[in-house]
Amino acid sequence: MSVELNHTIVHARDNRESAQFFADLLGLEITAEWGPFIAVGLSNGVTLDFATIPADHIAMQHYAFLVSEEEFDAAYARISERGIEHYADPHRQQPGAINHNDGGRGVYFTDPAGHAMELVTVPYGGWTS
């Protein structure tokens, strides 16, 4: 069997708020709830399992998601409609913009717990054959 990422736990101040924010923004579904976790399923079978922990225990993480051009358009429209601060770069030097790296588009924003989220339409380095 090859090695695949199955799930990762995402720390949140409020697991439901963070899971719903993420699911709504990307047009995804909450797929399961068990114990302290609320899971959002991705198209490749991986789940993000949101868990509530004390805010002072949350260490900012970076999560990058490869999306289609259509998914990017829909998510970016939601980001804009909701007035979510966003940037074309991870250093927050280009507010209110997207980037055009490697022949695709990308955007950075934070989730309710302060994690750095990124959407890209082309992987870094471009598509390989």
Side-chain angles (χ1 to χ4, degrees):
M1 178 173 154
S2 61
V3 177
E4 296 181 1
L5 180 64
N6 177 265
H7 69 276
T8 192
I9 296 171
V10 180
H11 291 167
R13 290 185 297 261
D14 177 323
N15 62 353
R16 182 161 309 282
E17 175 190 32
S18 287
Q20 200 65 61
F21 170 87
F22 186 76
D24 289 348
L25 194 68
L26 293 178
L28 299 171
E29 300 289 327
I30 290 176
T31 56
E33 297 183 35
W34 64 93
F37 304 110
I38 298 179
V40 175
L42 306 179
S43 63
N44 59 350
V46 174
T47 62
L48 301 178
D49 298 352
F50 292 86
T52 300
I53 68 164
D56 62 342
H57 287 76
I58 297 174
M60 188 275 292
Q61 297 291 312
H62 175 77
Y63 298 94
F65 301 93
L66 181 62
V67 298
S68 70
E69 291 289 338
E70 295 78 18
E71 290 163 330
F72 186 93
D73 288 341
Y76 190 68
R78 291 181 194 110
I79 288 168
S80 298
E81 289 165 4
R82 295 174 186 180
I84 297 171
E85 280 188 35
H86 59 281
Y87 303 86
D89 65 302
H91 304 291
R92 299 179 169 198
Q93 299 300 305
Q94 300 172 56
I98 64 171
N99 66 57
H100 298 275
N101 295 331
D102 296 314
R105 297 180 290 162
V107 66
Y108 296 82
F109 58 97
T110 56
D111 80 342
H115 296 299
M117 300 292 194
E118 177 183 8
L119 304 178
V120 296
T121 60
V122 173
Y124 287 114
W127 293 107
T128 58
S129 1

